[in-house]
Structures are given as structure tokens and as C-alpha cells.
Amino acid sequence: MGFDNVKELKLVALIALCFVVISPAVAYDPLDPTGNVTIRWDIMSWTSDGYLATVTIFNFQLYRNIMNPGWTLGWTWAKKEIIWTMMGAQATEQGDCSKFKLKIPHSCKRNPQVVDLLPGAPYNMQYQNCCKGGVLTSWGQEPTAAFSAFQIAVGQSGTSNKTVKLPRNFKLLGPGPGYSCGPAKVVPSTVIASDDHRRKTQALMSWNATCTYSQFLASKNPSCCVSFSSFYSDKITPCPPCACGCQNNDTCVTSGSKIPQEDEKNTLKKVNNPPLLQCTHHMCRVRVHWHVKFNYHDYWRAKIAIINFDYRNNYSQWTLVAQHPNLNNVTQVFSFQYKPVLPYESINDTGMFYGLKYYNDMLMQAGPLGNVQSEVLMKKDKNTFTLKQGWAFPRKVYFNGDECMLPPPDSYPTLPNSADKLPTSVSFVAIYVAFSIFFHMVMTVVH
């Protein structure tokens, strides 16, 4: 192959790489390569002018949940369809239904937007797996709470597989931007088992639309940052300055201000609260602190603290994901749940932490209660274990599915220059010091 051809191939590869990097439709997470939100649409019966369908939203993301105020699902009808009725969800707008005289549809919008019903909705409006306020846990955290469903009666759509047209331009807010959805595709009809599993029914027609998340689409800045400290160094490595952007430093409030208390009454009346951040040098909503606490002979211990700096919003069913080479030997986790994340079965260096139900699964607003903490005990691998060059700190940290900003590696706490090898046990040092003092006292008495 000639030199010119090689140059052309390199140029093509570079251009393709640039498109991959800057394209807003690309949403690939190396720690969750198959994670997505799937919208399944099952037609269960035909009506006089349309059909009755069950729509199910599955959150197949391992560690990214959909928080309050929940998901919003939108699409564009292919023809002149309308929504006669809904159960388990509702359209946010009715639209112009003036041409209907006797029976008024639920929504006549050409591009409706649908939201989940709130908990405690009237029984005659509920549907199976509905009414969670749009909140979905991640699939890796609790699969039974990672999907939601509603029933929809569609009119003016056609009454057979040949006349029905698939909706277009699916859009998902979860609850904010970040998701991009592909086109709906017809799939084999869903088979549904009865509650007693003694009978199976089949949908008349089914289609799926898949939505993937991109942190770059959600926000131009990170939402969280990481700080480090260790027992062997007095140095605390803070979050990088303006780690999450400093564009809001004019609207932040100091920790002792009375504004958060005065703002709380108005905030409770709002559905989607904009953040009200405490003034910090990093200006992040959440900070994760990783502290290397103890170094034993066969084990070492790290402490993890998650601090919320947002006075208006809490985080229910939060998740924390860390990538660290010694997470393949986790011995015990205190006060958090832990589950390995294995995107590639041959590599076990990533784990997901989340709160204990009814104990610390909600990270409260900024203030005295706005933090959760845990400790992790890991067994040493003598062939790879070291505390040098920042090995004890994670390579990546995600909070609620968004990657957090880490400090630059050259700022990590370092071992003392005089210590070629750190004592393998804190207790050994204490015994050694005590023995030295005792020996000195005995020799003094003898002399």
C-alpha cells in the first residue's frame, strides 16, 4: 500500500473519530455498554376506530435511575391519532378537541407528552406497575422497581396490523435532558403470562423504541466531583476549582445563610426545583470523598462519604459506582449495599454502592443531614497491592449515573519521602512504640 493511501486512511479514520466524539446521538458508557431505556408498545385488542395498548418503560441501565419528578415520554403520531382514554398515566395537555361533540378524548395533541400518575392516585385510574411519580430504580439496583406501565386507548389509527402506523420521534426526559431515542421497530409479539402462570396470552402487535443516555447531552458540566485524603498524609486533595462550572456562583448561598429556610416553603409547591447550591470552590451539587483509613496486614479500609450541596433537591435511591483494581476483593461493606458491576466478565474492578432501604437510601438536601457515609474493607493482593502513586484511590467515580470530576493525579496524597515501605499494620506500629517505651523504662531502672 502506498504512502498516499496510508495518509488517506488515517485522515478518514480521524474524521470518523471526530464524528463519534462530537455527535450528540452517540451515548456509550464503557461501564454499562448495553444500558438503555426500552419503550415497549403492545396492542392487546382492537376497537371500533383503533386499539387498546399497554405501554411499558423498562430502565435497563445498571446504575442510572430516574429520579423525582420522574420520566416524561413524548412522541409524534404518524397520522391523525387521538388518545381516547388512559390508565396509569396522563397526557400533560389535552390539545384542541373542539371537533368532538359527544365524547371528548383525553388528548388530541399530535405530539403528546405523557407522565406517570403520583402515588395514591384513585383506584379507577391505576394500572399495573404504575403510579410511582415516574421514579424508576436502576436495573442493577432493584429490577422489580425498574419499570413502569400504563394503558392507552388510541383512536383514528386503523384497526389492523396493516393499517396501524408506528409513532415517530420518541422523546424521553428522565427527568431532565440527556436521552436520545431511536425509531420504533416492530418486534415479535409479546407473550404475557397470567398471574397464576397457568395461561399465556399474546399481543396482537408489538414494537420497541430504545433510548440511550449521554452525559454530554444532559449538561455541559459535571454534576459531581471527588476529593481524596489518607491516613499517611496530612494533605487533603480537594475537588478541582470550578469542577462543575462556576456560572452559578452569583446565585449560590453561604452555608450559614437563612435563604434556604425562607426558600423551603416555596420549593415544596414546585414540581421540578432548580438547584440552589451552597457556595463552594467546586460549585458541584454532590461531592464524593474517598479516605484511605487503615492499612492492616492482610486488609485495608477506605471510608466513603457523599455530601449534597443542593438546598432544594434530595436524591432518592441514589447509586455510587467506583472503578478500582482492588474491588475484586471486597470483604465487607458497612452501612451501604454493594454489588459488583461486570460490563466485561473477565475484569472485576467496578462496583456499585447504594443505600439500605428505609435507612440511608435517600441523600437529603444540603445541611446537617445532607450526607451518607460508609466504609469498605478490602483484602490485599500481595502481587498488586501498593499505596504508592495514588493506587489506593479510584480511577472513575459515578454518582447517579453521571461521571464525577476527579482531581489531577499529581495532586493525590503521597507517601512520606522518608518511608521506602509503609508499615503494613497500624497496630504493629503501636505495639512497636509501646515496647520501645517499656524497654527504655526498664533499662533506666536497671541503671
Side-chain angles (χ1 to χ4, degrees):
M1 184 179 290
F3 180 72
D4 292 337
N5 291 336
V6 173
K7 289 180 64 177
E8 289 178 2
L9 286 174
K10 288 184 177 179
L11 180 61
V12 171
L14 180 61
I15 294 173
L17 179 62
C18 291
F19 274 113
V20 169
V21 172
I22 65 176
S23 173
V26 172
Y28 175 75
D29 186 347
L31 299 185
D32 188 13
T34 60
N36 67 78
V37 175
T38 297
I39 302 155
R40 191 181 73 196
W41 203 295
D42 297 315
I43 296 179
M44 305 308 298
S45 63
W46 302 111
T47 61
S48 59
D49 68 337
Y51 58 84
L52 189 67
T54 296
V55 180
T56 310
I57 302 173
F58 296 93
N59 182 16
F60 288 130
Q61 299 173 109
L62 285 178
Y63 47 79
R64 183 177 295 105
N65 55 33
I66 295 179
M67 302 185 304
N68 185 58
W71 54 262
T72 300
L73 178 63
W75 63 84
T76 301
W77 290 118
K79 299 192 290 185
K80 296 182 179 180
E81 293 90 337
I82 57 169
I83 301 175
W84 281 116
T85 59
M86 295 189 73
M87 291 182 63
Q90 61 183 357
T92 57
E93 294 183 51
Q94 185 183 43
D96 183 8
C97 296
S98 57
K99 70 176 183 178
F100 295 90
K101 305 301 181 183
L102 298 178
K103 184 180 178 181
I104 306 299
H106 177 79
S107 176
C108 300
K109 293 280 291 184
R110 176 164 173 76
N111 51 348
Q113 288 192 333
V114 172
V115 294
D116 193 11
L117 296 182
L118 297 174
Y123 184 76
N124 61 350
M125 296 177 62
Q126 294 183 23
Y127 192 70
Q128 187 176 9
N129 297 311
C130 82
C131 312
K132 305 172 186 176
V135 175
L136 300 178
T137 63
S138 61
W139 194 262
Q141 188 175 357
E142 190 177 353
T144 57
F147 63 95
S148 180
F150 60 88
Q151 188 181 72
I152 181 171
V154 180
Q156 301 183 171
S157 63
T159 57
S160 71
N161 292 21
K162 294 182 179 181
T163 56
V164 167
K165 299 296 182 182
L166 277 57
R168 300 191 299 259
N169 302 327
F170 278 93
K171 295 180 180 179
L172 178 68
L173 298 177
Y179 287 93
S180 54
C181 302
K185 296 182 180 180
V186 175
V187 296
S189 297
T190 304
V191 177
I192 304 167
S194 61
D195 293 337
D196 59 5
H197 297 280
R198 301 180 67 184
R199 172 177 166 78
K200 294 180 180 179
T201 56
Q202 185 169 323
L204 303 177
M205 184 180 182
S206 299
W207 59 80
N208 285 351
T210 302
C211 306
T212 53
Y213 180 83
S214 169
Q215 188 170 342
F216 299 104
L217 287 179
S219 175
K220 64 179 182 180
N221 295 310
S223 59
C224 55
C225 65
V226 184
S227 57
F228 296 135
S229 63
S230 175
F231 71 89
Y232 56 73
S233 174
D234 293 333
K235 180 180 180 180
I236 297 177
T237 302
C239 289
C242 293
C244 301
C246 283
Q247 70 279 3
N248 294 323
N249 54 3
D250 293 333
T251 58
C252 67
V253 296
T254 57
S255 58
S257 173
K258 295 183 179 180
I259 294 178
Q261 289 79 6
E262 297 172 356
D263 178 75
E264 186 176 0
K265 295 180 181 179
N266 297 327
T267 299
L268 293 174
K269 299 177 182 179
K270 298 178 182 179
V271 177
N272 192 3
N273 302 316
L276 179 65
L277 299 183
Q278 179 180 325
C279 292
T280 59
H281 75 280
H282 52 74
M283 289 303 294
C284 294
R285 297 186 185 187
V286 171
R287 176 168 66 91
V288 179
H289 187 74
W290 180 285
H291 174 67
V292 181
K293 191 172 183 179
F294 291 124
N295 180 35
Y296 307 110
H297 184 270
D298 294 320
Y299 301 88
W300 66 289
R301 184 190 294 249
K303 182 177 181 179
I304 302 172
I306 308 172
I307 304 99
N308 187 6
F309 291 95
D310 189 346
Y311 285 106
R312 285 181 177 166
N313 297 288
N314 55 39
Y315 294 88
S316 60
Q317 299 171 328
W318 56 266
T319 61
L320 178 74
V321 171
Q323 186 180 39
H324 188 285
N326 212 174
L327 286 177
N328 62 340
N329 277 327
V330 172
T331 302
Q332 190 172 0
V333 177
F334 304 87
S335 71
F336 282 178
Q337 298 273 22
Y338 177 78
K339 184 178 292 186
V341 175
L342 303 171
Y344 315 100
E345 293 185 1
S346 60
I347 303 175
N348 180 14
D349 65 350
T350 307
M352 176 175 65
F353 302 87
Y354 52 99
L356 299 171
K357 202 167 186 178
Y358 306 121
Y359 175 61
N360 58 0
D361 60 341
M362 178 176 287
L363 176 60
M364 301 298 293
Q365 293 95 332
L369 301 178
N371 68 90
V372 289
Q373 301 180 23
S374 178
E375 294 187 4
V376 187
L377 186 67
M378 288 170 274
K379 188 175 182 179
K380 294 178 181 178
D381 182 348
K382 299 297 177 64
N383 296 322
T384 61
F385 178 80
T386 178
L387 291 177
K388 295 181 180 180
Q389 299 176 342
W391 182 91
F393 301 106
R395 277 57 170 158
K396 283 187 176 184
V397 174
Y398 288 69
F399 179 77
N400 265 17
D402 284 342
E403 187 171 358
C404 303
M405 174 75 75
L406 270 67
D410 59 354
S411 66
Y412 290 10
T414 56
L415 291 168
N417 292 331
S418 60
D420 294 331
K421 183 178 180 181
L422 194 72
T424 56
S425 172
V426 174
S427 58
F428 174 81
V429 175
I431 294 172
Y432 178 81
V433 173
F435 180 80
S436 299
I437 296 173
F438 176 76
F439 181 79
H440 179 74
M441 292 173 61
V442 170
M443 293 302 294
T444 302
V445 172
V446 170
H447 289 291

